[in-house]
Amino acid sequence: MSEAGPVPVSESPFAPIPAAPPDPILGLTEAFRRDPNPHKVNLGVGVYLDAQGVVPTLHAVRAAEARLLEAAPGKGYLPIDGDPEYNRRVQALLLGENAPVIREGRAVTVQAPGGTGALRVGADFLHRFLPDTTVFLSAPSWENHAALFGTHFRVQTYPYYDPRTHGLDFAGMMEAFVRMPRHSVVVLHACCHNPTGVDLSAAQWVEVLRVCRERALVPFLDFAYQGFAEGIEADAFAVRLFAESGLPCLIANSFSKSFSLYGERVGALTLVAATADEAQRALSQIKRVVRVNYSNPPAHGALVVSLILGDATLRQMWEAELTGMRERIQSLRRDFVQALGAQGVSQDFGFILQQRGMFSYSGLSRETVLQLRQEGLYIVESGRICIAAMNERNLPFIAEAIARHLRSVPC
Ligand SMILES: Cc1ncc(COP(=O)(O)O)c(C=O)c1O
């Protein structure tokens, strides 16, 4: 081998590495960027865009950042489990201000880099103590779940979405739950199910909890959209039901969407244990997981969220802005269904009004989705559309393109 310059290809340890398949959603965005069509619209994204088509920086966030800049809290490391004040405020937001589970010390929370980071830490933790368990995901689920849990566990699915009704297959779901082996981990979307937008009713959650207790399952609630369905308190129903029930569970939450802080990576992992002592032992183990993964979490976004949650004025501002995002998505759902009707679409798209959160499973076939891309409308192959990426300007183009296809190829 010569002393300088690249080694011969045959000598490189990386030569046999195959290229990974493109991420289905990020890959779609890359294809969208390359498309020269000036009318193109990307409904494949997983972010809320405002009326101008950009990710908003909330006023509450700007105000909190101005205060932080002034206070200059320094750039030292945070503790392994993150900012203690942030963790306390997050617990109160998720579990309720005066929740018995907090008073009893049965809940522990660690700051995490976004919802993904929280899920990763939770999966690594579970792997240490339940290495042979199976993880069950809804069919379908957020596509990163399978990859994330698949690095450690056998991953299987339970029935969830019924394409015939565009709603929940609750009977199928329950049949699967009663057959799950003891201590299986079951991942549940606490609200605004991604990708379908189909959620459980309160009565159905009570039933799910009952079966989880009966089968000694380990619920892992993914809570990435608090405030996007009905409101901050109402959306926490399932999380609080499980946390107060006495059944140990995990909760991964994200502030990417609710504070529009995607790139700051803000979230948390909360573990609810049977006793305060068990919670502390679990916390010590979760901290070991964090230490070997990224040592301690990024500070800025969490300080912003903590400041907003702990200050009456900023909090009011944030809650109003979150309400604004939620209500705007709801009115976009109505506008979209109306626009399809105005284009002469005869199929009933009323189900889009029942679905909650940023996404809808449109029912569009893969074939239709691929054809629409040729015309500049980008949708994930499953037919998931991001309602939160629509606006007054792009809606006519979207409705017209979809209607043209539905008239020729029924979905
Ligand atoms: C269901 C679900 N869980 C977790 C996440 C990850 O959130 P974050 O971007 O904060 O990592 C998302 C983001 O799209 C999601 O939809």
Side-chain angles (χ1 to χ4, degrees):
M1 206 188 295
S2 63
E3 295 289 308
V7 298
V9 170
S10 58
E11 299 287 335
S12 169
F14 306 136
I17 297 177
D23 180 279
I25 292 176
L26 300 183
L28 187 71
T29 297
E30 281 161 28
F32 171 77
R33 288 211 183 104
R34 285 194 301 270
D35 187 344
N37 182 343
H39 303 295
K40 63 186 178 178
V41 175
N42 187 2
L43 296 184
V45 292
V47 295
Y48 173 92
L49 301 177
D50 67 13
Q52 278 65 50
V54 297
V55 175
T57 304
L58 303 187
H59 289 98
V61 166
R62 284 174 206 252
E65 287 185 321
R67 282 198 209 170
L68 275 180
L69 199 62
E70 186 72 20
K75 297 289 180 190
Y77 290 127
L78 289 183
I80 294 174
D81 49 345
D83 181 63
E85 191 112 89
Y86 168 87
N87 289 335
R88 269 195 298 277
R89 288 173 176 159
V90 170
Q91 257 188 18
L93 184 73
L94 303 182
L95 305 178
E97 207 55 64
N98 295 306
V101 65
I102 299 179
R103 273 204 316 275
E104 292 157 12
R106 290 195 295 111
V108 286
T109 296
V110 301
Q111 185 189 324
T116 309
L119 288 163
R120 175 82 265 153
V121 171
D124 287 2
F125 164 78
L126 288 170
H127 182 56
R128 287 190 179 201
F129 302 101
L130 292 170
D132 300 320
T133 197
T134 303
V135 173
F136 286 88
L137 305 175
S138 61
S141 196
W142 179 47
E143 93 292 328
N144 213 12
H145 279 152
L148 209 150
F149 288 101
T151 54
H152 290 319
F153 302 104
R154 250 184 333 272
V155 174
Q156 291 182 16
T157 59
Y158 57 85
Y160 190 83
Y161 179 73
D162 184 346
R164 290 163 307 180
T165 61
H166 302 283
L168 186 66
D169 176 7
F170 189 63
M173 183 175 170
M174 286 298 87
E175 264 171 44
F177 272 50
V178 296
R179 285 198 309 269
M180 287 176 190
R182 191 180 152 77
H183 289 171
S184 295
V185 174
V186 53
V187 178
L188 298 158
H189 296 234
C191 74
C192 304
H193 184 270
N194 179 5
T196 66
V198 172
D199 284 345
L200 278 72
S201 69
Q204 287 168 332
W205 276 120
V206 170
E207 189 63 10
V208 170
L209 171 61
R210 190 185 60 74
V211 178
C212 285
R213 276 193 86 107
E214 232 169 65
R215 304 292 311 160
L217 304 177
V218 182
F220 198 152
L221 291 127
D222 187 347
F223 197 22
Y225 298 94
Q226 185 174 11
F228 274 82
E230 287 175 35
I232 294 167
E233 297 296 308
D235 293 356
F237 175 81
V239 162
R240 294 177 188 179
L241 179 76
F242 277 73
E244 291 302 341
S245 74
L247 178 68
C249 65
L250 290 156
I251 304 151
N253 83 284
S254 165
F255 294 124
S256 299
K257 329 274 162 158
S258 54
F259 283 80
S260 194
L261 278 172
Y262 303 88
E264 296 293 356
R265 314 308 298 133
V266 209
L269 176 71
T270 296
L271 179 141
V272 177
T275 65
D277 178 60
E278 186 181 295
Q280 286 306 314
R281 280 182 277 122
L283 173 63
S284 69
Q285 295 291 350
I286 292 172
K287 284 162 74 169
R288 286 178 72 195
V289 169
V290 170
R291 181 69 175 142
V292 298
N293 269 307
Y294 51 86
S295 194
N296 48 75
H300 180 75
L303 294 182
V304 168
V305 168
S306 184
L307 199 55
I308 295 172
L309 291 179
D311 179 282
T313 313
L314 293 180
R315 184 162 177 145
Q316 220 175 25
M317 253 165 108
W318 166 63
E319 289 190 8
E321 291 185 283
L322 179 55
T323 302
M325 291 194 279
R326 175 176 68 251
E327 289 180 350
R328 187 167 160 270
I329 297 173
Q330 287 161 350
S331 84
L332 284 167
R333 286 183 182 276
R334 290 191 291 273
D335 294 347
F336 177 49
V337 172
Q338 228 166 40
L340 288 177
Q343 288 288 337
V345 168
S346 56
Q347 292 94 332
D348 181 9
F349 276 90
F351 62 85
I352 287 184
L353 305 176
Q354 310 307 319
Q355 298 170 341
R356 312 193 313 167
M358 296 187 4
F359 304 111
S360 259
Y361 238 31
S362 63
L364 294 173
S365 67
R366 182 172 174 274
E367 190 190 9
T368 302
V369 165
L370 295 179
Q371 283 169 359
L372 286 168
R373 279 186 207 166
Q374 304 302 314
E375 296 167 32
L377 183 56
Y378 287 75
I379 295 174
V380 188
E381 279 186 26
S382 64
R384 184 194 84 166
I385 53 178
C386 180
I387 301 283
M390 294 180 176
N391 58 49
E392 234 176 49
R393 274 172 297 122
N394 66 22
L395 197 57
F397 169 77
I398 296 166
E400 208 268 317
I402 293 178
R404 201 169 43 248
H405 280 273
L406 289 181
R407 281 192 297 261
S408 57
V409 193
C411 66

